[in-house]
Amino acid sequence: MAIDDIAKIHEDPEEEEEEEEEADLVDPLDGMKEDCGNSKHCMALKEKLETCNDRVSSRSKTEETCTEELFDYIHCVDHCVLCD
């Protein structure tokens, strides 16, 4: 009998079930954020952010960042989630 076998004998089956249940939990806020991010109003800001990211990524030397676009998009999503 190896040490692993002993550990398996002493494991509590209820603990295993709880761990499985915890792994299946989904944060409802994630779904709300996704829905809001794909809403009509936020989608325009998301496209603006993606355009900026593409532009910045295509350049090797640039000081431009997409911080403003990112903040605008996040603000839109957060506001939408708050109002729902």
Side-chain angles (χ1 to χ4, degrees):
M1 185 181 270
I3 293 176
D4 292 335
D5 295 333
I6 294 170
K8 287 180 184 176
I9 292 172
H10 294 292
E11 288 181 7
D12 187 5
E14 289 181 19
E15 285 181 19
E16 287 181 24
E17 289 178 21
E18 287 178 16
E19 288 176 10
E20 288 177 16
E21 288 176 13
E22 288 177 12
D24 295 341
L25 294 178
V26 176
D27 187 357
L29 187 59
D30 291 340
M32 292 173 68
K33 285 181 179 180
E34 187 174 336
D35 292 343
C36 285
N38 294 324
S39 69
K40 189 175 184 178
H41 180 67
C42 293
M43 189 56 97
L45 294 169
K46 183 177 183 178
E47 289 172 4
K48 211 173 178 182
L49 174 61
E50 289 173 350
T51 301
C52 181
N53 280 332
D54 292 342
R55 183 176 58 249
V56 170
S57 297
S58 68
R59 298 179 182 165
S60 58
K61 294 183 181 181
T62 184
E63 293 183 17
E64 180 183 12
T65 62
C66 300
T67 305
E68 183 178 348
E69 290 83 352
L70 176 61
F71 286 166
D72 289 343
Y73 175 68
I74 291 172
H75 177 76
C76 180
V77 172
D78 287 345
H79 181 72
C80 173
V81 169
L82 181 66
C83 292
D84 282 350

